[in-house]
Amino acid sequence: MFEYIQILGQEIYKILFVLVPILVSVAMIVWLDRRVWGLVQKRKGPNVVGPFGLLQTLADALKYIFKEIIIPASANKAVFVLAPIVTMTLALVAWAVIPMSEEFVLADINVGVLYLFAVSSLGVYGIIMGGWASNSKYPFLGAIRSAAQMVSYEVSIGIIIINVLLCVGSLNLKEIVLAQKDLWYVIPLFPMFVIFFISALAETNRPPFDLPEAEAELVAGYQTEYSGMMYAMFWLGEYANILLMCAMGSILFLGGWLPIIDLYPINLIPAPIWMIIKILFLFFLFALIKAIVPRYRYDQLMRLGWKIFLPFSLFYLVLTASFLFYFDKLPKGNF
Amino acid sequence: MLVHSIFFYFFSVIAIFSSLMVITSRNTVNSVFFLILDFISVGCLFIMVGAEFLGMIILIVYVGAVAVLFLFVVMMLNVAEQKQSWFIGKKSTHIPTGLIVSVLILLELLVVVGGWKYKDNVMSSSTLELSNISNTHQLGLVMYTDYILYFQLAGIILLLSMIGAILLTFRQRKGVKKQSYFNQISRNPSSSIELKEAEINKGVKIDD
C-alpha cells in the first residue's frame, strides 16, 4: 500500500511540473494577445503593471478572485457552477499527452491523437452547460451557436488529422513528430495546415469566429451571467485551449520539438525550447488574426465549414492516400 | 491488481448510478448530462481493459458528437421539466413500449452472450496471430480484411440514412435572397449605379 502512495506522490509531482508552467504561460499569453492586438491597432496595449505590462494578467486575476460570485436566482445552480470547472479541467487535462521533447511527456499513450481530439471535442460541454444553466436568453443563444459551430469544425479537424495519420501510420504523438524528421508535414500538406489553423480558430471560438460571445449581438454570449472567479475560470480555460490547439498544430504540422534544420549551432537549442517557439509562433498568428479580420456572419461560418472545408479536406485525403499508394510510400507500421 | 480493481469499481459504480439517473431524473436536460457521464465512464472501462481505441472512439463519437446533438435537441424543444410523471400517470403509453423494447434488448443480450459459448470460427482470422501489435493496428487488420464486406455495408447504410435525413428536411423556399460572393466582389460603380429621372407623382419603379 505504501508503494502506491509513493507512486501517487511522484505522479502528482510530475503533474504539477506540467500544470504550473501552463497556468503561468496562459497568463503570459493573455498579455501577449492583448499586446499584439494593441500594436496592430497602433495602441500601446497593457504596459503599466510590471515590466512591459507583463504582470497585467496577474493583476486581473487578483481582481477576479476578490470579486463576488453572483449566481442568478433562477439558474440551475449545480450545472451553473460545474460549467467553468468543466471548461478549465478539460483544457488542462489534454496537456497530459503533449510531448515537449522525446523524454518529457507525462503520458505517452498509443492513441495520443485520438485523446487530444476527444478532449478538444468535449470542450463544447462547458459552453453549453454555462449557457443553458444561466437561464437567460443571450447565454442560451450563445451556447446553441457554439454547439453547432464546434461540432461542425470538429469534422474537418478530424479529417485533417486522418491526413496526417496516413503519412505517419501511428496514433502516438511522439511517432508523429519523429516521422517529420526529414520533412515537416506543413510542406506536403500545406492546404491542410491552413484549414487546420482556421478550424482551430473556430474550435476555440476565437475571432473571426467568436459568434458564441459576439458582443455586438449577444452581450457576452454564454459568459453573460458569470462573474468573479467563475468568469476567470472560463477565461483561463479558453486560453489554455488556444495554447493546446497551437501545440496540436505544431505537433501535427511543424515537427513538434524538432529543430528547423539539424545543423550544428541550431540543434544545440534544447527540444522544449523549439516546441515553445513553435507554439508561440502559432499563437502570434492567432493574435494577429484577431486584430485584422472582421467577424463572420453565422450562415457564412456554416457555409465555410460544411461546403468548403469538409469537401476540400476529403478531396485532399483521397489525394494523399492515392499519392502514398501509387508511389509506395505508405507507412509499413511498426509492429 | 488492487489499484486496478479500485478503479474498475469506481468507474462501474458511476456508470450504473448514472444510467439509473438517466431514466429516473425528472429534468430531461439532467438526464442527458447523466447519459454523458455514463458514456464517459463506459469509455474509461474500455480503456481499462486495454481497448484504448474503442474507448477513445466512444468519447469522440458518442460524447463529442451524438450527446451534443441530444442536448441541443432537448434544450431547443423546451421539454426540460417532465410535468406528467411516468410512474403515476394514468394513461401513459411509455411504459408498455419501454417494457417491450427493454425485454427485447435483454433477450438479444442473452442470445449474444449465450451464443458466445458456441462460437467456432469467429476468431479464426489469420491476421490476429501477431499478438504484440497495438490495439488499433489489430482492429484495422481484422476490419479491412475479414470483415470488409460488413464494414462497407455499415458505411453504405450510414450514407443512406444521412441522405435520407437531408432529403426529409430539405425544402425549397421561394423568394429567399442568396448572397453570391462572386457577383458581390465583381460589382463596380459603372455597372451597379444608375441615375434615373423621377417624375412627380409617378416615381420610379425599382425592380427587386
Side-chain angles (χ1 to χ4, degrees):
Chain A
M1 202 63 212
F2 185 70
E3 214 175 319
Y4 289 129
I5 294 170
Q6 211 169 10
I7 294 173
L8 200 70
Q10 278 170 1
E11 289 300 316
I12 288 175
Y13 173 73
K14 273 195 225 161
I15 289 169
L16 281 182
F17 197 72
V18 174
L19 274 194
V20 172
I22 284 164
L23 285 174
V24 173
S25 56
V26 162
M28 294 298 119
I29 229 87
V30 175
W31 169 81
L32 181 70
D33 188 27
R34 296 175 61 185
R35 190 83 176 167
V36 171
W37 197 12
L39 290 176
V40 170
Q41 296 175 344
K42 283 199 155 186
R43 291 182 289 117
K44 284 201 172 114
N47 65 346
V48 178
V49 189
F52 308 108
L54 264 171
L55 300 178
Q56 177 66 45
T57 319
L58 291 183
D60 284 349
L62 212 65
K63 183 188 79 177
Y64 284 126
I65 290 169
F66 287 115
K67 275 194 166 185
E68 186 189 353
I69 293 174
I70 299 165
I71 299 179
S74 60
N76 186 329
K77 288 192 184 55
V79 181
F80 188 81
V81 175
L82 215 57
I85 299 175
V86 166
T87 303
M88 194 164 153
T89 315
L90 286 174
L92 292 180
V93 135
W95 283 92
V97 293
I98 297 283
M100 295 303 277
S101 77
E102 210 162 342
E103 304 86 36
F104 184 17
V105 51
L106 209 58
D108 184 22
I109 57 175
N110 275 336
V111 286
V113 179
L114 285 182
Y115 176 83
L116 266 188
F117 188 57
V119 171
S120 72
S121 71
L122 294 191
V124 65
Y125 281 111
I127 294 172
I128 298 189
M129 285 162 85
W132 175 76
S134 299
N135 202 1
S136 157
K137 294 283 186 294
Y138 290 127
F140 186 62
L141 281 173
I144 292 289
R145 277 186 178 186
S146 81
Q149 172 181 335
M150 289 169 89
V151 170
S152 316
Y153 278 84
E154 242 166 56
V155 179
S156 60
I157 287 192
I159 290 171
I160 293 162
I161 289 177
I162 296 176
N163 258 308
V164 175
L165 294 183
L166 262 181
C167 305
V168 182
S170 168
L171 293 168
N172 187 316
L173 288 173
K174 239 189 222 175
E175 303 269 340
I176 290 176
V177 173
L178 289 177
Q180 303 178 52
K181 208 142 207 165
D182 303 321
L183 185 66
W184 292 2
Y185 287 145
V186 67
I187 298 164
L189 299 176
F190 185 71
M192 288 299 102
F193 175 66
V194 174
I195 291 185
F196 176 83
F197 182 74
I198 299 171
S199 303
L201 287 174
E203 183 80 5
T204 50
N205 296 324
R206 285 281 293 185
F209 305 111
D210 59 340
L211 287 145
E213 44 191 298
E215 69 275 352
E217 309 146 30
L218 295 181
V219 188
Y222 61 93
Q223 304 169 334
T224 308
E225 304 289 343
Y226 281 90
S227 61
M229 200 55 216
M230 298 220 284
Y231 174 75
M233 279 173 84
F234 260 130
W235 191 56
L236 276 176
E238 213 171 282
Y239 274 90
N241 248 332
I242 293 166
L243 268 189
L244 180 75
M245 275 296 171
C246 295
M248 209 164 147
S250 58
I251 286 170
L252 291 179
F253 293 102
L254 297 180
W257 66 79
L258 299 173
I260 200 158
I261 26 171
D262 203 4
L263 286 177
Y264 167 62
I266 295 168
N267 59 16
L268 280 184
I269 301 172
I273 304 277
W274 275 112
M275 185 75 184
I276 289 168
I277 289 173
K278 283 166 190 170
I279 292 175
L280 279 181
F281 170 71
L282 281 180
F283 185 79
F284 182 70
L285 290 183
F286 265 67
L288 270 187
I289 295 276
K290 179 180 180 171
I292 60 181
V293 181
R295 183 177 296 134
Y296 263 53
R297 214 173 52 213
Y298 198 70
D299 61 314
Q300 291 172 329
L301 172 91
M302 284 297 162
R303 177 178 171 272
L304 188 70
W306 286 106
K307 290 191 182 165
I308 298 174
F309 282 0
L310 187 61
F312 184 69
S313 46
L314 271 174
F315 161 75
Y316 210 86
L317 178 67
V318 175
L319 196 72
T320 315
S322 7
F323 179 85
L324 290 173
F325 185 74
Y326 283 111
F327 290 93
D328 203 25
K329 286 191 164 41
L330 275 172
K332 294 288 178 287
N334 39 355
F335 44 81
Chain B
M1 282 321 275
L2 174 72
V3 177
H4 193 272
S5 35
I6 288 175
F7 276 108
F8 173 77
Y9 285 113
F10 177 72
F11 287 127
S12 26
V13 164
I14 290 181
I16 292 168
F17 168 75
S18 54
S19 50
L20 281 177
M21 286 305 287
V22 172
I23 51 173
T24 53
S25 164
R26 281 290 178 79
N27 189 329
T28 325
V29 177
N30 282 355
S31 294
V32 180
F33 282 137
F34 277 113
L35 186 66
I36 293 161
L37 185 60
D38 198 24
F39 283 149
I40 292 176
S41 32
V42 169
C44 294
L45 283 176
F46 265 114
I47 294 167
M48 279 194 65
V49 293
E52 68 242 354
F53 184 78
L54 280 180
M56 286 302 160
I57 288 297
I58 278 194
L59 277 188
I60 293 170
V61 174
Y62 284 93
V63 185
V66 174
V68 174
L69 296 181
F70 273 4
L71 208 58
F72 200 86
V73 170
V74 167
M75 284 174 175
M76 289 291 268
L77 289 180
N78 201 15
V79 285
E81 281 307 321
Q82 282 286 344
K83 288 282 184 324
Q84 167 203 12
S85 168
W86 287 14
F87 307 103
I88 43 172
K90 281 148 285 177
K91 282 182 183 171
S92 170
T93 52
H94 295 300
I95 288 180
T97 328
L99 267 181
I100 290 169
V101 171
S102 43
V103 165
L104 275 178
I105 290 175
L106 182 70
L107 279 178
E108 280 178 357
L109 278 177
L110 282 178
V111 168
V112 165
V113 175
W116 193 251
K117 201 176 169 188
Y118 301 105
K119 67 179 164 38
D120 43 327
N121 58 351
V122 182
M123 293 288 282
S124 73
S125 165
S126 53
T127 40
L128 268 184
E129 277 156 26
L130 298 156
S131 57
N132 58 338
I133 61 177
S134 84
N135 199 299
T136 319
H137 272 130
Q138 231 162 10
L139 205 64
L141 281 177
V142 179
M143 206 184 254
Y144 293 105
T145 52
D146 297 349
Y147 298 99
I148 182 71
L149 190 62
Y150 306 101
F151 185 70
Q152 299 228 313
L153 265 178
I156 288 171
I157 291 170
L158 277 176
L159 180 71
L160 279 180
S161 54
M162 191 176 84
I163 294 172
I166 293 171
L167 213 69
L168 278 176
T169 53
F170 182 76
R171 62 196 157 118
Q172 211 134 29
R173 279 177 294 178
K174 283 196 178 110
V176 178
K177 286 188 177 168
K178 277 189 182 151
Q179 185 182 23
S180 159
Y181 296 101
F182 184 73
N183 289 346
Q184 200 175 13
I185 294 166
S186 56
R187 268 160 73 101
N188 57 346
S190 65
S191 70
S192 52
I193 296 177
E194 194 181 346
L195 285 177
K196 282 196 173 179
E197 205 72 40
E199 279 181 64
I200 297 165
N201 283 337
K202 278 187 181 169
V204 180
K205 190 175 187 330
I206 302 169
D207 56 348
D208 46 353

